[in-house]
Amino acid sequence: MNLFSILSGGRIQKLGSYSLMRLFIRLCLAFSFAFLVTISTIAKSSKKELKLTSFNSLFLYDEIGDKNKIPKNRKKRNATDFDALRKTLLKEDPDIIGFQEIENEAALRNIIISEYDCKATITPGYSQEVGLCWKKSLGQPELKEVPELSLRPGLRKGLLGEFKFDSGKLSVLVVHLKAGHSSKDKQERRNQITVLREILPKLGDFALLGDFNENLGRNHSLWNVLQGNLRLKSANYKMQSDCWQHKEGFIDYLITNLEWKKGSFVQTKFPSDDGNFDGHPLSEEGLSDHCPVSASLIVRED
């Protein structure tokens, strides 16, 4: 006869109460362990992290017939410059990158690798566009320009990419707002931020990447205009800028209505950063006066 479970007429035979209790405890422990493993697996699969980067690449041209392009007396970038930009940009292995101050997609190809696809806005007669690159493994996003930000000729459009996942989508919007310190410049920048306030609530889950030409950490009024009724989170929050001479704060931001992974924000400095972007040594002129900023976004999967 089987020592463990012989049932006859509804009565348990040859199995003492002590052995029965031991078997019951073992079964409970086994089921509890399986339950915890299942819950842990579900919890882990319900979150997806994406590394996002924003980078103002400082008049990034494709260098094809661009000798006389602005700024005047600029240094034409060569392979060494492109390599330095590429290494710094990709150091954090970003999944999605937003660019400012690029000429076109060909210019992006000079500092990106084949693992990525890219798109840039197109403005006839203008050479300072915004762009978006993403790892091909993410699939092809739905892309469209955001002309609402170009409130007049000369103000830059935005670029929107909608990435689809099993549970929904993530909208990534790249912007480059009006530069300058005059009262007119500041008002135009505020007007663009007011436009963003109207756009963002329509995007669902989103990340906003860009050069705002404004320290939003200090200018609470503009931050409140941007935020509206949303609960926005800046990956830069309470972080200290250490890029070239720009110690007073950020103008390049990563913003979302989701969550940033705690402690993931990085401002990637160029190895040659000596604290002052002044063209000395001359190799500095082939880099950028901005540093890439990156952080890990937690994307909802449930």
Side-chain angles (χ1 to χ4, degrees):
M1 291 185 179
N2 191 315
L3 178 63
F4 294 100
S5 56
I6 301 176
L7 298 177
S8 176
R11 302 173 68 181
I12 300 177
Q13 298 179 342
K14 291 194 177 182
L15 185 60
S17 59
Y18 177 73
S19 298
L20 180 61
M21 182 171 288
R22 288 184 63 188
L23 177 60
F24 177 76
I25 291 173
R26 287 179 180 177
L27 287 173
C28 287
L29 289 174
F31 281 120
S32 297
F33 178 77
F35 177 77
L36 290 173
V37 169
T38 301
I39 292 298
S40 176
T41 302
I42 292 173
K44 289 180 180 178
S45 64
S46 66
K47 293 182 179 180
K48 178 182 181 69
E49 290 182 14
L50 291 174
K51 181 65 68 67
L52 305 187
T53 294
S54 185
F55 180 44
N56 183 320
S57 51
L58 185 62
F59 297 104
L60 182 68
Y61 293 100
D62 60 19
E63 300 299 355
I64 302 173
D66 293 322
K67 182 178 180 180
N68 298 318
K69 292 289 183 67
I70 58 173
K72 292 182 179 180
N73 302 318
R74 75 179 186 90
K75 177 183 180 293
K76 181 177 179 179
R77 287 186 172 107
N78 55 36
T80 300
D81 300 323
F82 292 137
D83 185 59
L85 287 166
R86 185 184 308 109
K87 286 180 178 178
T88 299
L89 171 66
L90 300 182
K91 184 177 180 180
E92 295 300 314
D93 189 30
D95 297 293
I96 301 172
I97 312 169
F99 289 92
Q100 299 82 40
E101 291 195 26
I102 62 168
E103 181 184 16
N104 50 35
E105 291 173 32
L108 289 174
R109 291 296 172 193
N110 286 326
I111 63 170
I112 210 72
I113 58 177
S114 60
E115 187 179 353
Y116 294 85
D117 273 333
C118 298
K119 177 67 177 176
T121 55
I122 300 174
T123 309
Y126 197 61
S127 58
Q128 203 178 86
E129 308 289 344
V130 299
L132 184 67
C133 292
W134 61 92
K135 284 185 176 178
K136 294 177 182 178
S137 59
L138 294 177
Q140 176 65 36
E142 183 178 335
L143 298 159
K144 60 182 178 181
E145 295 186 349
V146 183
E148 295 93 328
L149 288 170
S150 181
L151 296 170
R152 64 166 177 79
L155 294 183
R156 291 163 285 252
K157 297 177 286 189
L159 182 60
L160 179 66
E162 294 183 351
F163 296 84
K164 291 182 173 59
F165 303 106
D166 291 341
S167 60
K169 69 172 185 176
L170 173 69
S171 297
V172 179
L173 177 57
V174 184
V175 301
H176 187 187
L177 303 190
K178 179 70 175 71
H181 303 286
S182 71
S183 57
K184 179 182 178 182
D185 295 332
K186 293 178 180 179
Q187 185 57 53
E188 288 190 321
R189 202 153 48 235
R190 176 176 285 269
N191 292 342
Q192 288 182 301
I193 288 178
T194 301
V195 171
L196 282 173
R197 174 178 176 157
E198 300 301 317
I199 292 174
L200 295 180
K202 304 172 185 177
L203 298 183
D205 293 345
F206 68 83
L208 176 61
L209 317 179
D211 179 351
F212 285 75
N213 275 305
E214 192 76 55
N215 187 333
L216 297 177
R218 292 182 180 177
N219 195 328
H220 301 297
S221 172
L222 277 184
W223 175 261
N224 290 334
V225 171
L226 177 66
Q227 181 163 240
N229 295 322
L230 298 174
R231 296 184 64 184
L232 300 183
K233 294 98 175 177
S234 168
N236 312 56
Y237 182 61
K238 290 189 176 181
M239 304 303 295
Q240 180 66 43
S241 176
D242 190 29
C243 176
W244 301 108
Q245 69 272 24
H246 310 303
K247 313 296 185 184
E248 68 281 359
F250 295 96
I251 61 173
D252 301 303
Y253 285 91
L254 309 169
I255 297 170
T256 188
N257 60 344
L258 298 174
E259 297 290 340
W260 298 105
K261 182 179 180 180
K262 187 176 181 180
S264 67
F265 178 83
V266 177
Q267 183 183 51
T268 308
K269 298 173 63 175
F270 291 95
S272 58
D273 187 339
D274 57 5
N276 208 4
F277 189 79
D278 56 5
H280 302 289
L282 186 62
S283 59
E284 283 184 2
E285 294 186 1
L287 304 177
S288 173
D289 59 342
H290 293 245
C291 297
V293 292
S294 307
S296 295
L297 180 69
I298 299 176
V299 182
R300 284 194 283 257
E301 287 276 83
D302 49 357

